[in-house]
Amino acid sequence: MAWFMPPLLLMLHISTVRSSFQHTLVLEMAKILLDNYCLPENLAGMQEAIQQAINSREIMQISDKKTLAAVLTSGVQGALNDPRLIVSYEPNFVPPMLPSLTKEQLARLVRNSVKLDTLENNTGYLRMDWIIGKEAATKLGSRLRDNIWDKVAGTSSLIFDLRYSTAGEFSGVPIIVSYFSDPGTLIHIDTVYDRPSNASRELWTMPRMTGRRYGRKKDIIILTSKRTAGAAEAVAYGLKNLKRAIVVGERSAGGSVRVQKIRIAQTDFYITVPVARSISPITGQSWEVRGVSPTVYTNAKDAVAKAKSLLVVRRAIPKVVKSISDMIGRFYAFTDKVPVLQHCLQSMDLFSVVSKEDLATRLNENLQAVSEDPRLIIKYNQDDDAVVEEDLELYNEPSHVELLNELVHKTFKVEILAHNTGYLRFDKFFRLSSLAEIEELMAKKVWESLKDTNNLIIDLRSNTGGSSTSLSLILSYLHDASQKHHFFTIYDRIKNISTEYNSFHEITGTSYGSRRGVYVLTSYHTAGVGEEFAYLIQSLHRGTVIGEITSGDLMHSKTFQIDGTDIAITIPVINFLDNNGECWLGGGVVPDAIVLAEEAMDQVREIADFHQGLRSLIEGTGELLKKYYASHKAALKVSNELLSKWAEGLYWSVVDFESLASQLTADIQESSGDHRIHIYHCIVEPEASHNVPKIPAPEEVGYMIDALFKVEILPDNVGYLRFDMMPDVEVVKAIGPQLIQLVWSKIAHTGALIIDMRYNTAGYTSAIPLLCTYFFDAEPLRHIYTVFDRTTNTMAEVMTLPQVIGQRYLTSKDVYILTSHMTGSAAEVFTRAMKDLKRATVIGEPTIGGSLSSGTYQIGGSVLYASIPNQVVLSAITGKMWSMSGVEPDVTVQANDAPPAAQKIIARLLRREPRK
C-alpha cells in the first residue's frame, strides 16, 4: 500500500470518537513524527495524503497486529523515503536500561573492542569495533594514552580498521578526529541537530588531548564495510572530507546519529524514529542513510591487503616528487620556469592519490597547467614500450668526396615540372661537418638546376627528420644572398649553450632569392627536422605550406625513468626559437592550405596562379582606400603598409580569395585603427543599397510611433524616452504632429530627461539637426558638427534649425543619454554632438564606433569587395575628427546599470546633495 504520512496539526484535531483503532494509530504516529523526526521539513504539505490514509478501507480490514505494523512501516518509509522509520508490534517490549559502566567495565569493553598491532614498514594497525566516547576517555585517560594513542603515534602510517564497528558513542568522534589533527587550528567537524530539543550542536576538534597526536602528515587508511555504522561512519566521513584519510573498502551501512523507539500512545505498537541528524560543514550533506563512499572500492575481506599496497604507493610519493623536481632543475630548457615548477611540486595536493597511474596523471596535469608546455610529460609506463630516442649520428655525411657525391645524389631528387616549376625532394636532413665540400656539391647537383625556375616545390611528405644543422644551408639559398638573415636559435639546457643559426656569408651557387614562390608539401609522416623546416618557412614568411598537419613528434626532449617506479618524465632539453625569438613547442605544423598529402601537388598550381595576381589585388585595395576613405592621410599610410607586408612575404600564407579577404581586413584595421573597414569575398556582385525611407500611410502612423518610441514619467518628474532607430527627417516631418502629441508633449514639461540610446544601432543622420534643435534656444543657431564627404570632397556644416513645431526643452533642464556597446551610426553622432556641446551627460558603455556612410567598391575585376567609410564627422568645438572608437561616456557603467545610475544622479541633484 502506497500512502503518505503528513503529520499536520490540523489532522491531529480530527475527532477519534468516530475513528477506528487503525485510524487513531495513524494520527498518533503523525504526532510522534511531528515532535521527534529529525527532518521536519519533509513532513510538510501532506494533508491530503493523510486524509486518504484515514479513509483507507485497506487499513480498516487489517486485523492482524504484526501485519498492520508492516503495512504502516511500508507506508511511512515510502512517504518520507527513509528506511530508518520502522513500526513494530511488540507486546512484551521492555525499554533497555543503560546503566553507567564502572571504570573496570569500560576498560574491559575497550580491551574487547580495540586491537592494536604494528605491521611491516612500521605501519600501525588499529581496529576499533566500538567508538570510545567521552565518558570512557575521561575515566580511562592514562590507560588509553599508554595502550593505544602513544603506541599509534609512534608508527609511520596507519591502517584504521572500522569494518566491524557497528556501535559506539558519538561523543567520541571529536576525540578521534582530534588525534589525527594538528593542535594549532580548531576544525569544525560536524553539526548535529536534535529534533526533540530543536537545538543544534557543533562538533569541533579539541585544543588539548591526553597523549600524543598523530598529526596531519602521516598517511591514514580507513577500512569500511557494509556493517560499519553510526559513530564510526561519522569518523570516516569527517576524516575523508577533511582530506586526512583515504577510505578503502565498501560503502558503509548508512546509520544514524541517534534513533529512538517510541511507544505509540497506550498501545503495544512502537515506531523507531531518527531523532537527530548530522550535517557536514564541508559538504553540506550527511553520511546517514546513504553511507560513506570509499575513496577506493574493494571487498571488505580484501581491504587490508589493498590498504598495504596503497601505502606502498603513498610512501613512494615524496621520493617521486623530489626526483621529478631535481630532474626539472637539471634538464628543463625553460630555466626561468624551474622555480615555479618546483614550488608547484612542493605545494601540490596529492592527498587523494591512490595509485601510481593516479600519481602520474595528477603530476602531469599540474605541471602542464603551470608550465603551459605540452612537451613536459609525466607518464605511467608499465605497459608501454621503452622510449627509443633517435640517434642523429645516423645522418652524418661521410667525409670522402666520392661518398659525399653519392650521398647528395641519393638524398636529393630534382626535377623541372610543367610551367617551369622546380621540384626538390629529400627525405632526411643530414648533419653538416664537411661544410665546404657538401655546400659545393649541393650547389652543383641541386641549386644549379633550380635557379631559373619560376616557383619551387620542396617535397617533405616523406621526410622523417635528421639533423637541424643543414637547415641554415637550405634556407640560405631561399633568401637574398646580399643580406644577412637570422633563421633560428637553439638553446641546449644540458650543455647550457645557445647557438644562433644565420644565413651563410657566401654560398657557391646562385641564390634562389626571396621573390619567387616556395611551396612546401607536408604529410602526417613529416616529422622531426622536417617539421622545423615547415615551421620556419611560415615564421620567416618565405613560402606556403600545403598538405596535411605534420606528425607533431618533434619535442626536443629526453625521457627519464624515476628509479624504482614505472613513472617516466619527458623533459624538453632544447628550446627551438624562431627568428622572432618565439619558442616553438612542437605539436605539429598546420599548413596554410590543408589538403590530403596525395592532392598537395595538384593544389600547388592553383595557389601559385593565385599568388601571381596578389600584388595587383593589394595595390587595387590601396587605390580604393586612397580614393574613397574619409581620411586620406590614413589611406596613404595603409596602402603603403599593405605593399610593404606583401614585399616582406607576409602574404605567402594566403591561399585563396577568402583567406586574402580575412588577411586584408585584419591588416587594414590594424594599420588604420578603424574596425569599420571590411574586405569580403562575394561571388555575386552585391546589390547597391538605395536606402530610400518609406513615408508611412496615415493609418500606419500610430502603430509606427507605438513600435518605435517608448515614453514614461519616472519618479521626481523625470522623463524617459527610448527609441531604437534614428528615423529619416522626411519621415519625422510626415508624422510630426502625431509625434508631438503622442510622444513629445508627454515629456516636454518634465524636470529632467533620460534619452535611452542603448539599443539604437542604425538609422539616418538627416533628422539629427531637427532632434538637436529641441534642446537648444532658438537664437543663436548652434553649429552641431561638420561632415566631410570623401566621394565629393565637400564639407557641410550641420546647424540647429530656426523653428520647430511644439515647444523646446529648456536649456536649464538636464538631459542624460544612455549608451551601450551596441549604440551605433546616427545614434552615436547625436550622442557625441550633445556631449560636445555640453547639452547632455552620457551614461553607460562606450559606443560601437560606427560610420555615417560607407560605400561598397569592387577590387579590380575580382570577387573581392571593400566596404569603406566615406564620410567623417568633425567636431563643432575643436574642428577635429571624431574618434572611430566610439563615444566615451561621462559616467561609465554597465549598460544594464545605466538607467538607475542616471536616476540616482538626478535625485542627488534635485535634493542638492553633494557628490561623494
mmCIF file of all heavy atoms in Angstrom, residues 782-814:
data_model
loop_
_atom_site.group_PDB
_atom_site.id
_atom_site.type_symbol
_atom_site.label_atom_id
_atom_site.label_comp_id
_atom_site.label_asym_id
_atom_site.label_seq_id
_atom_site.Cartn_x
_atom_site.Cartn_y
_atom_site.Cartn_z
ATOM 1 N N ARG A 782 22.991 77.009 -33.423
ATOM 2 C CA ARG A 782 24.209 76.344 -32.945
ATOM 3 C C ARG A 782 24.808 75.452 -34.032
ATOM 4 O O ARG A 782 24.092 74.718 -34.738
ATOM 5 C CB ARG A 782 23.889 75.487 -31.708
ATOM 6 C CG ARG A 782 23.341 76.259 -30.533
ATOM 7 C CD ARG A 782 24.372 77.257 -29.993
ATOM 8 N NE ARG A 782 25.564 76.601 -29.538
ATOM 9 C CZ ARG A 782 25.747 76.151 -28.290
ATOM 10 N NH1 ARG A 782 24.799 76.321 -27.375
ATOM 11 N NH2 ARG A 782 26.874 75.569 -27.959
ATOM 12 N N HIS A 783 26.121 75.537 -34.156
ATOM 13 C CA HIS A 783 26.860 74.643 -35.058
ATOM 14 C C HIS A 783 26.985 73.282 -34.357
ATOM 15 O O HIS A 783 27.641 73.166 -33.321
ATOM 16 C CB HIS A 783 28.234 75.242 -35.349
ATOM 17 C CG HIS A 783 29.087 74.387 -36.250
ATOM 18 N ND1 HIS A 783 30.446 74.573 -36.373
ATOM 19 C CD2 HIS A 783 28.786 73.339 -37.077
ATOM 20 C CE1 HIS A 783 30.940 73.693 -37.214
ATOM 21 N NE2 HIS A 783 29.948 72.932 -37.671
ATOM 22 N N ILE A 784 26.367 72.243 -34.936
ATOM 23 C CA ILE A 784 26.323 70.926 -34.270
ATOM 24 C C ILE A 784 27.580 70.120 -34.605
ATOM 25 O O ILE A 784 28.277 69.618 -33.732
ATOM 26 C CB ILE A 784 25.060 70.148 -34.690
ATOM 27 C CG1 ILE A 784 23.815 70.988 -34.440
ATOM 28 C CG2 ILE A 784 24.964 68.836 -33.927
ATOM 29 C CD1 ILE A 784 22.552 70.358 -34.991
ATOM 30 N N TYR A 785 27.887 69.979 -35.893
ATOM 31 C CA TYR A 785 29.089 69.278 -36.351
ATOM 32 C C TYR A 785 29.260 69.563 -37.832
ATOM 33 O O TYR A 785 28.395 70.177 -38.480
ATOM 34 C CB TYR A 785 29.014 67.761 -36.091
ATOM 35 C CG TYR A 785 27.808 67.077 -36.689
ATOM 36 C CD1 TYR A 785 27.794 66.634 -38.012
ATOM 37 C CD2 TYR A 785 26.668 66.855 -35.925
ATOM 38 C CE1 TYR A 785 26.689 66.006 -38.563
ATOM 39 C CE2 TYR A 785 25.556 66.220 -36.457
ATOM 40 C CZ TYR A 785 25.574 65.805 -37.778
ATOM 41 O OH TYR A 785 24.477 65.184 -38.314
ATOM 42 N N THR A 786 30.383 69.106 -38.381
ATOM 43 C CA THR A 786 30.661 69.257 -39.807
ATOM 44 C C THR A 786 30.896 67.885 -40.417
ATOM 45 O O THR A 786 31.557 67.038 -39.803
ATOM 46 C CB THR A 786 31.902 70.142 -40.043
ATOM 47 O OG1 THR A 786 31.647 71.440 -39.498
ATOM 48 C CG2 THR A 786 32.229 70.266 -41.525
ATOM 49 N N VAL A 787 30.353 67.651 -41.615
ATOM 50 C CA VAL A 787 30.518 66.376 -42.311
ATOM 51 C C VAL A 787 31.427 66.580 -43.520
ATOM 52 O O VAL A 787 31.181 67.472 -44.354
ATOM 53 C CB VAL A 787 29.161 65.804 -42.772
ATOM 54 C CG1 VAL A 787 29.371 64.532 -43.596
ATOM 55 C CG2 VAL A 787 28.265 65.523 -41.587
ATOM 56 N N PHE A 788 32.514 65.789 -43.579
ATOM 57 C CA PHE A 788 33.370 65.776 -44.767
ATOM 58 C C PHE A 788 33.059 64.521 -45.562
ATOM 59 O O PHE A 788 33.119 63.411 -45.030
ATOM 60 C CB PHE A 788 34.849 65.802 -44.385
ATOM 61 C CG PHE A 788 35.767 65.563 -45.565
ATOM 62 C CD1 PHE A 788 35.891 66.524 -46.564
ATOM 63 C CD2 PHE A 788 36.472 64.376 -45.674
ATOM 64 C CE1 PHE A 788 36.717 66.291 -47.658
ATOM 65 C CE2 PHE A 788 37.300 64.147 -46.766
ATOM 66 C CZ PHE A 788 37.421 65.111 -47.762
ATOM 67 N N ASP A 789 32.709 64.712 -46.858
ATOM 68 C CA ASP A 789 32.372 63.593 -47.744
ATOM 69 C C ASP A 789 33.520 63.403 -48.719
ATOM 70 O O ASP A 789 33.804 64.285 -49.542
ATOM 71 C CB ASP A 789 31.067 63.886 -48.488
ATOM 72 C CG ASP A 789 30.541 62.658 -49.221
ATOM 73 O OD1 ASP A 789 31.356 61.919 -49.799
ATOM 74 O OD2 ASP A 789 29.314 62.434 -49.204
ATOM 75 N N ARG A 790 34.203 62.234 -48.606
ATOM 76 C CA ARG A 790 35.383 61.980 -49.447
ATOM 77 C C ARG A 790 35.002 61.791 -50.909
ATOM 78 O O ARG A 790 35.775 62.126 -51.804
ATOM 79 C CB ARG A 790 36.094 60.716 -48.934
ATOM 80 C CG ARG A 790 37.388 60.418 -49.667
ATOM 81 C CD ARG A 790 38.498 61.330 -49.139
ATOM 82 N NE ARG A 790 39.731 61.121 -49.873
ATOM 83 C CZ ARG A 790 40.108 61.789 -50.957
ATOM 84 N NH1 ARG A 790 39.334 62.743 -51.440
ATOM 85 N NH2 ARG A 790 41.249 61.558 -51.550
ATOM 86 N N THR A 791 33.810 61.270 -51.165
ATOM 87 C CA THR A 791 33.420 60.999 -52.559
ATOM 88 C C THR A 791 33.230 62.288 -53.347
ATOM 89 O O THR A 791 33.416 62.308 -54.560
ATOM 90 C CB THR A 791 32.119 60.170 -52.595
ATOM 91 O OG1 THR A 791 31.080 60.901 -51.917
ATOM 92 C CG2 THR A 791 32.316 58.837 -51.914
ATOM 93 N N THR A 792 32.847 63.376 -52.662
ATOM 94 C CA THR A 792 32.641 64.666 -53.333
ATOM 95 C C THR A 792 33.658 65.713 -52.904
ATOM 96 O O THR A 792 33.657 66.833 -53.442
ATOM 97 C CB THR A 792 31.226 65.193 -53.041
ATOM 98 O OG1 THR A 792 31.075 65.347 -51.620
ATOM 99 C CG2 THR A 792 30.172 64.230 -53.563
ATOM 100 N N ASN A 793 34.487 65.368 -51.912
ATOM 101 C CA ASN A 793 35.473 66.303 -51.355
ATOM 102 C C ASN A 793 34.823 67.605 -50.902
ATOM 103 O O ASN A 793 35.342 68.706 -51.151
ATOM 104 C CB ASN A 793 36.584 66.609 -52.372
ATOM 105 C CG ASN A 793 37.609 65.491 -52.439
ATOM 106 O OD1 ASN A 793 37.919 64.861 -51.426
ATOM 107 N ND2 ASN A 793 38.138 65.232 -53.625
ATOM 108 N N THR A 794 33.673 67.472 -50.247
ATOM 109 C CA THR A 794 32.954 68.658 -49.775
ATOM 110 C C THR A 794 32.813 68.620 -48.266
ATOM 111 O O THR A 794 32.796 67.560 -47.650
ATOM 112 C CB THR A 794 31.556 68.741 -50.407
ATOM 113 O OG1 THR A 794 30.827 67.547 -50.068
ATOM 114 C CG2 THR A 794 31.653 68.890 -51.912
ATOM 115 N N MET A 795 32.683 69.839 -47.666
ATOM 116 C CA MET A 795 32.457 69.984 -46.226
ATOM 117 C C MET A 795 31.082 70.614 -46.043
ATOM 118 O O MET A 795 30.739 71.589 -46.720
ATOM 119 C CB MET A 795 33.511 70.887 -45.607
ATOM 120 C CG MET A 795 34.944 70.444 -45.848
ATOM 121 S SD MET A 795 35.529 69.285 -44.614
ATOM 122 C CE MET A 795 35.957 70.393 -43.311
ATOM 123 N N ALA A 796 30.290 70.076 -45.148
ATOM 124 C CA ALA A 796 28.955 70.611 -44.891
ATOM 125 C C ALA A 796 28.777 70.821 -43.397
ATOM 126 O O ALA A 796 28.876 69.873 -42.619
ATOM 127 C CB ALA A 796 27.881 69.659 -45.434
ATOM 128 N N GLU A 797 28.502 72.078 -43.014
ATOM 129 C CA GLU A 797 28.242 72.366 -41.614
ATOM 130 C C GLU A 797 26.792 72.038 -41.277
ATOM 131 O O GLU A 797 25.876 72.412 -42.022
ATOM 132 C CB GLU A 797 28.520 73.844 -41.296
ATOM 133 C CG GLU A 797 29.987 74.195 -41.309
ATOM 134 C CD GLU A 797 30.226 75.607 -40.784
ATOM 135 O OE1 GLU A 797 29.236 76.358 -40.614
ATOM 136 O OE2 GLU A 797 31.392 75.957 -40.542
ATOM 137 N N VAL A 798 26.582 71.349 -40.180
ATOM 138 C CA VAL A 798 25.246 70.978 -39.736
ATOM 139 C C VAL A 798 24.877 71.893 -38.574
ATOM 140 O O VAL A 798 25.606 71.958 -37.572
ATOM 141 C CB VAL A 798 25.184 69.495 -39.319
ATOM 142 C CG1 VAL A 798 23.793 69.124 -38.824
ATOM 143 C CG2 VAL A 798 25.587 68.596 -40.487
ATOM 144 N N MET A 799 23.734 72.609 -38.688
ATOM 145 C CA MET A 799 23.318 73.608 -37.708
ATOM 146 C C MET A 799 21.956 73.237 -37.137
ATOM 147 O O MET A 799 21.199 72.447 -37.720
ATOM 148 C CB MET A 799 23.223 74.994 -38.372
ATOM 149 C CG MET A 799 24.440 75.415 -39.168
ATOM 150 S SD MET A 799 25.876 75.799 -38.125
ATOM 151 C CE MET A 799 25.285 77.277 -37.289
ATOM 152 N N THR A 800 21.631 73.824 -35.980
ATOM 153 C CA THR A 800 20.264 73.695 -35.467
ATOM 154 C C THR A 800 19.335 74.504 -36.369
ATOM 155 O O THR A 800 19.776 75.367 -37.138
ATOM 156 C CB THR A 800 20.165 74.203 -34.026
ATOM 157 O OG1 THR A 800 20.649 75.555 -33.969
ATOM 158 C CG2 THR A 800 20.981 73.336 -33.077
ATOM 159 N N LEU A 801 18.034 74.222 -36.273
ATOM 160 C CA LEU A 801 17.034 74.851 -37.140
ATOM 161 C C LEU A 801 16.426 76.075 -36.435
ATOM 162 O O LEU A 801 16.297 76.101 -35.205
ATOM 163 C CB LEU A 801 15.937 73.853 -37.488
ATOM 164 C CG LEU A 801 16.421 72.517 -38.093
ATOM 165 C CD1 LEU A 801 15.240 71.605 -38.362
ATOM 166 C CD2 LEU A 801 17.201 72.764 -39.372
ATOM 167 N N PRO A 802 15.989 77.075 -37.215
ATOM 168 C CA PRO A 802 15.413 78.269 -36.584
ATOM 169 C C PRO A 802 14.055 78.032 -35.956
ATOM 170 O O PRO A 802 13.686 78.698 -34.991
ATOM 171 C CB PRO A 802 15.317 79.274 -37.741
ATOM 172 C CG PRO A 802 15.320 78.447 -38.981
ATOM 173 C CD PRO A 802 16.140 77.231 -38.684
ATOM 174 N N GLN A 803 13.291 77.068 -36.497
ATOM 175 C CA GLN A 803 11.951 76.833 -35.993
ATOM 176 C C GLN A 803 11.668 75.339 -35.900
ATOM 177 O O GLN A 803 12.159 74.549 -36.704
ATOM 178 C CB GLN A 803 10.903 77.480 -36.915
ATOM 179 C CG GLN A 803 10.952 78.992 -36.926
ATOM 180 C CD GLN A 803 9.879 79.574 -37.838
ATOM 181 O OE1 GLN A 803 9.405 78.905 -38.756
ATOM 182 N NE2 GLN A 803 9.499 80.828 -37.578
ATOM 183 N N VAL A 804 10.836 74.985 -34.919
ATOM 184 C CA VAL A 804 10.330 73.610 -34.786
ATOM 185 C C VAL A 804 8.886 73.687 -34.335
ATOM 186 O O VAL A 804 8.449 74.689 -33.736
ATOM 187 C CB VAL A 804 11.151 72.794 -33.756
ATOM 188 C CG1 VAL A 804 12.545 72.512 -34.265
ATOM 189 C CG2 VAL A 804 11.198 73.506 -32.413
ATOM 190 N N ILE A 805 8.126 72.647 -34.615
ATOM 191 C CA ILE A 805 6.763 72.593 -34.100
ATOM 192 C C ILE A 805 6.810 72.095 -32.661
ATOM 193 O O ILE A 805 7.661 71.290 -32.294
ATOM 194 C CB ILE A 805 5.858 71.701 -34.972
ATOM 195 C CG1 ILE A 805 6.405 70.267 -35.024
ATOM 196 C CG2 ILE A 805 5.718 72.261 -36.379
ATOM 197 C CD1 ILE A 805 5.476 69.297 -35.737
ATOM 198 N N GLY A 806 5.915 72.572 -31.850
ATOM 199 C CA GLY A 806 5.931 72.195 -30.446
ATOM 200 C C GLY A 806 6.938 73.030 -29.672
ATOM 201 O O GLY A 806 7.643 73.882 -30.228
ATOM 202 N N GLN A 807 7.033 72.802 -28.385
ATOM 203 C CA GLN A 807 7.925 73.596 -27.559
ATOM 204 C C GLN A 807 9.296 72.944 -27.431
ATOM 205 O O GLN A 807 9.446 71.740 -27.588
ATOM 206 C CB GLN A 807 7.319 73.799 -26.171
ATOM 207 C CG GLN A 807 7.262 72.540 -25.329
ATOM 208 C CD GLN A 807 6.642 72.811 -23.975
ATOM 209 O OE1 GLN A 807 5.420 72.897 -23.864
ATOM 210 N NE2 GLN A 807 7.478 72.942 -22.967
ATOM 211 N N ARG A 808 10.307 73.757 -27.150
ATOM 212 C CA ARG A 808 11.652 73.265 -26.951
ATOM 213 C C ARG A 808 11.833 72.804 -25.500
ATOM 214 O O ARG A 808 11.087 73.227 -24.619
ATOM 215 C CB ARG A 808 12.678 74.353 -27.282
ATOM 216 C CG ARG A 808 12.654 74.802 -28.735
ATOM 217 C CD ARG A 808 13.543 76.009 -28.941
ATOM 218 N NE ARG A 808 13.419 76.551 -30.291
ATOM 219 C CZ ARG A 808 14.334 76.420 -31.253
ATOM 220 N NH1 ARG A 808 15.467 75.776 -30.983
ATOM 221 N NH2 ARG A 808 14.137 76.940 -32.445
ATOM 222 N N TYR A 809 12.850 71.974 -25.298
ATOM 223 C CA TYR A 809 13.180 71.533 -23.945
ATOM 224 C C TYR A 809 14.164 72.544 -23.378
ATOM 225 O O TYR A 809 15.279 72.702 -23.894
ATOM 226 C CB TYR A 809 13.799 70.128 -23.984
ATOM 227 C CG TYR A 809 13.689 69.386 -22.672
ATOM 228 C CD1 TYR A 809 12.487 68.796 -22.294
ATOM 229 C CD2 TYR A 809 14.771 69.292 -21.808
ATOM 230 C CE1 TYR A 809 12.362 68.117 -21.096
ATOM 231 C CE2 TYR A 809 14.661 68.613 -20.607
ATOM 232 C CZ TYR A 809 13.454 68.026 -20.253
ATOM 233 O OH TYR A 809 13.327 67.361 -19.056
ATOM 234 N N LEU A 810 13.777 73.238 -22.336
ATOM 235 C CA LEU A 810 14.553 74.362 -21.827
ATOM 236 C C LEU A 810 16.003 73.962 -21.541
ATOM 237 O O LEU A 810 16.272 72.899 -20.995
ATOM 238 C CB LEU A 810 13.913 74.913 -20.559
ATOM 239 C CG LEU A 810 12.496 75.497 -20.716
ATOM 240 C CD1 LEU A 810 11.969 75.951 -19.368
ATOM 241 C CD2 LEU A 810 12.489 76.632 -21.727
ATOM 242 N N THR A 811 16.932 74.848 -21.902
ATOM 243 C CA THR A 811 18.351 74.545 -21.709
ATOM 244 C C THR A 811 18.732 74.499 -20.234
ATOM 245 O O THR A 811 19.820 74.028 -19.887
ATOM 246 C CB THR A 811 19.218 75.604 -22.413
ATOM 247 O OG1 THR A 811 18.831 76.907 -21.968
ATOM 248 C CG2 THR A 811 19.038 75.517 -23.924
ATOM 249 N N SER A 812 17.850 74.981 -19.367
ATOM 250 C CA SER A 812 18.132 74.917 -17.926
ATOM 251 C C SER A 812 17.866 73.529 -17.352
ATOM 252 O O SER A 812 18.245 73.240 -16.217
ATOM 253 C CB SER A 812 17.263 75.938 -17.185
ATOM 254 O OG SER A 812 15.874 75.659 -17.402
ATOM 255 N N LYS A 813 17.233 72.668 -18.124
ATOM 256 C CA LYS A 813 16.888 71.318 -17.652
ATOM 257 C C LYS A 813 17.917 70.311 -18.173
ATOM 258 O O LYS A 813 18.329 70.376 -19.335
ATOM 259 C CB LYS A 813 15.472 70.943 -18.086
ATOM 260 C CG LYS A 813 14.411 71.848 -17.460
ATOM 261 C CD LYS A 813 13.009 71.338 -17.696
ATOM 262 C CE LYS A 813 12.554 71.494 -19.125
ATOM 263 N NZ LYS A 813 11.128 71.138 -19.292
ATOM 264 N N ASP A 814 18.287 69.388 -17.303
ATOM 265 C CA ASP A 814 19.345 68.426 -17.637
ATOM 266 C C ASP A 814 18.836 67.312 -18.548
ATOM 267 O O ASP A 814 17.686 66.849 -18.432
ATOM 268 C CB ASP A 814 19.910 67.800 -16.363
ATOM 269 C CG ASP A 814 20.712 68.803 -15.538
ATOM 270 O OD1 ASP A 814 21.248 69.743 -16.145
ATOM 271 O OD2 ASP A 814 20.775 68.636 -14.306
#
